[in-house]
Amino acid sequence: MFNMPGIIIIDNEENELSKMQDAFFKAGFPCLPIKYENNDPDNITGIDHIEIPEFLEPRVIVSDLNLKDLQNLDARTLCGPVANIIKKIVKSGPYMLWIWSKHEKEPSEVVALLEERYKNQITLPLHWVKINKNEFLYGDDKKEEGLKEKILELINQNSVFHALWDWEGRISLAAKKAVSTLHELTKPLDDDYSILNHNENLKKTLAKIGNEAIGHKNASEFPGVAMDLGLAPVLADQLLSISDETQDNLWKQAIPELGYKVDVNSEIKSKLNSFYHIDNVDGNFPKGHRGVFININTEYLTANIQKFENRIGLPIKTILHEEFISSQKGNSQTRKAVRDSVTLGFLEVSAECDHAQR
């Protein structure tokens, strides 16, 4: 896997596509330009001729407004092609949508239709802006230079997006610095230096890191997990080393609530807890692995309920009420609904040292 550009430009005019691409390059941002094809009925989205990698996560989409060169610039006809592009290339967001056009048609109507008609089909942008092609593409070189300055201005326009995108970039930079640091510290002394010796030192050092992270036996069975967990502290250290007051100011501007008590609704609390504490794994994942939750077979439980309750010492209903349900709230139907929604199972919670040593 390699990093894909976080910026995608889409236009049906080759010349205009190139000018926007050049402006991004001059501003220091790599981008992926895609020429929209509107003359092939089998090319439904207009960009089906381009292989979009699964791990592509665009953060800025620059799209021409009139991709099909329509004469009738109606918001309803302009909206469909933009929605199809977003549906194809955006998985989760966040992203900014930059709509650029040489026509006077106001793209706010198109964005309003995206919200109204496609909100359940696509991920909507966190922020959107309009760019006038006439202002930047046609005329002297100063206009094209102005497009570069416009890009730098728009990248910073939404403070939350800017802070998150900066964080993503620093994570990538921290990972590169972590790898470079490991490469440097494993470099042999001058008398012993050779390509072979350096490779051996690096391999043994990485093996030591992985083995120490989760134990030798576990590292042998789960080498990827061993290296991810072992290198995570190195990554965190490098991230802190490249952070300064710039990041403090960036986050403070984006999130003024930092440092103050913030209340979020119950739905967000539940999702946040799941995000931090729960990971979904496939059925082949080892059941004895630390942290794995195994559902109790409901058919077996129903057939052996008395034996199960004798083993744990209390009726299941009593345990559910003690742990999850307040008897003071709701009626009996409500409490039954809660009981029925609880998933019973076993959780592997052996100590970290026991897990590492098996």
Side-chain angles (χ1 to χ4, degrees):
M1 182 182 294
F2 58 92
N3 288 336
M4 290 292 293
I7 300 164
I8 296 181
I9 312 167
I10 300 165
D11 203 307
N12 62 322
E13 295 287 344
E14 190 78 52
N15 181 51
E16 295 173 357
L17 186 66
S18 295
K19 288 186 176 181
M20 179 59 92
Q21 177 187 354
D22 290 344
F24 269 107
F25 284 165
K26 289 176 182 177
F29 296 108
C31 58
L32 175 64
I34 300 177
K35 187 173 185 297
Y36 187 89
E37 301 289 351
N38 57 16
N39 52 8
D40 182 358
D42 293 328
N43 195 340
I44 298 173
T45 68
I47 61 172
D48 287 343
H49 57 291
I50 300 296
E51 186 70 30
I52 304 295
E54 279 295 316
F55 50 86
L56 175 67
E57 287 285 359
R59 293 297 181 237
V60 176
I61 298 175
V62 185
S63 176
D64 182 28
L65 183 61
N66 189 13
L67 289 163
K68 291 183 175 290
D69 278 337
L70 302 171
Q71 298 301 313
N72 177 24
L73 299 181
D74 180 82
R76 288 172 295 180
T77 56
L78 295 173
C79 183
V82 176
N84 284 335
I85 286 171
I86 294 172
K87 189 184 300 184
K88 181 175 178 65
I89 64 178
V90 176
K91 300 175 185 65
S92 58
Y95 70 97
M96 288 201 292
L97 177 62
W98 297 1
I99 298 178
W100 73 330
S101 174
K102 56 182 171 235
H103 304 287
E104 293 301 318
K105 185 69 179 178
E106 181 56 53
S108 60
E109 298 176 35
V110 173
V111 176
L113 277 176
L114 285 175
E115 290 184 308
E116 178 185 334
R117 293 186 173 185
Y118 296 95
K119 63 183 178 182
N120 295 323
Q121 302 176 39
I122 65 172
T123 299
L124 293 169
L126 186 67
H127 184 70
W128 75 272
V129 296
K130 172 187 175 181
I131 305 176
N132 190 335
K133 287 185 179 182
N134 296 316
E135 186 178 344
F136 297 106
L137 294 190
Y138 304 104
D140 54 31
D141 292 340
K142 288 184 178 179
K143 280 194 170 185
E144 294 185 19
E145 183 66 22
L147 182 56
K148 182 192 82 171
E149 300 303 322
K150 185 68 173 178
I151 287 171
L152 292 171
E153 172 195 327
L154 293 178
I155 287 289
N156 303 335
Q157 193 172 79
N158 184 282
S159 59
V160 176
F161 177 86
H162 185 199
L164 288 170
W165 202 21
D166 175 79
W167 182 76
E168 282 187 340
R170 285 189 294 115
I171 290 291
S172 178
L173 177 59
K176 293 179 186 297
K177 283 184 171 292
V179 171
S180 297
T181 299
L182 288 169
H183 179 265
E184 188 62 28
L185 68 84
T186 56
K187 184 177 179 180
L189 298 174
D190 290 342
D191 292 344
D192 297 325
Y193 184 78
S194 70
I195 294 174
L196 179 61
N197 286 346
H198 199 172
N199 269 273
E200 286 301 310
N201 284 356
L202 183 58
K203 286 165 59 178
K204 288 178 180 178
T205 301
L206 290 171
K208 182 70 172 176
I209 290 172
N211 290 335
E212 291 293 326
I214 64 173
H216 292 76
K217 292 182 179 179
N218 288 317
S220 175
E221 190 170 347
F222 307 104
V225 174
M227 293 314 307
D228 282 347
L229 292 178
L231 291 173
V234 185
L235 174 65
D237 182 62
Q238 291 297 327
L239 182 62
L240 290 174
S241 73
I242 61 175
S243 300
D244 53 29
E245 290 184 5
T246 303
Q247 279 71 48
D248 287 339
N249 295 333
L250 201 60
W251 282 114
K252 195 61 181 176
Q253 181 183 357
I255 318 291
E257 295 87 354
L258 282 170
Y260 301 92
K261 185 176 180 180
V262 178
D263 291 322
V264 295
N265 63 46
S266 298
E267 182 181 357
I268 296 297
K269 286 180 182 177
S270 176
K271 290 180 178 179
L272 197 57
N273 276 321
S274 297
F275 172 74
Y276 269 101
H277 300 300
I278 298 173
D279 191 17
N280 292 318
V281 296
D282 60 44
N284 296 322
F285 198 82
K287 294 178 173 57
H289 203 65
R290 186 169 185 265
V292 169
F293 179 85
I294 304 295
N295 291 15
I296 294 177
N297 185 303
T298 52
E299 292 182 4
Y300 175 85
L301 183 62
T302 301
N304 298 274
I305 186 66
Q306 191 62 54
K307 184 190 298 184
F308 184 82
E309 291 183 338
N310 289 341
R311 285 277 181 158
I312 61 177
L314 286 171
I316 291 177
K317 182 177 179 181
T318 301
I319 295 175
L320 292 179
H321 276 269
E322 287 182 354
E323 297 294 334
F324 302 109
I325 306 170
S326 171
S327 299
Q328 309 302 318
K329 295 182 179 180
N331 53 34
S332 58
Q333 288 83 7
T334 302
R335 292 193 292 275
K336 182 180 185 305
V338 175
R339 288 197 302 272
D340 292 342
S341 70
V342 173
T343 301
L344 296 174
F346 297 98
L347 179 65
E348 166 56 62
V349 291
S350 60
E352 184 75 40
C353 56
D354 290 341
H355 168 66
Q357 297 173 22
R358 290 196 166 182

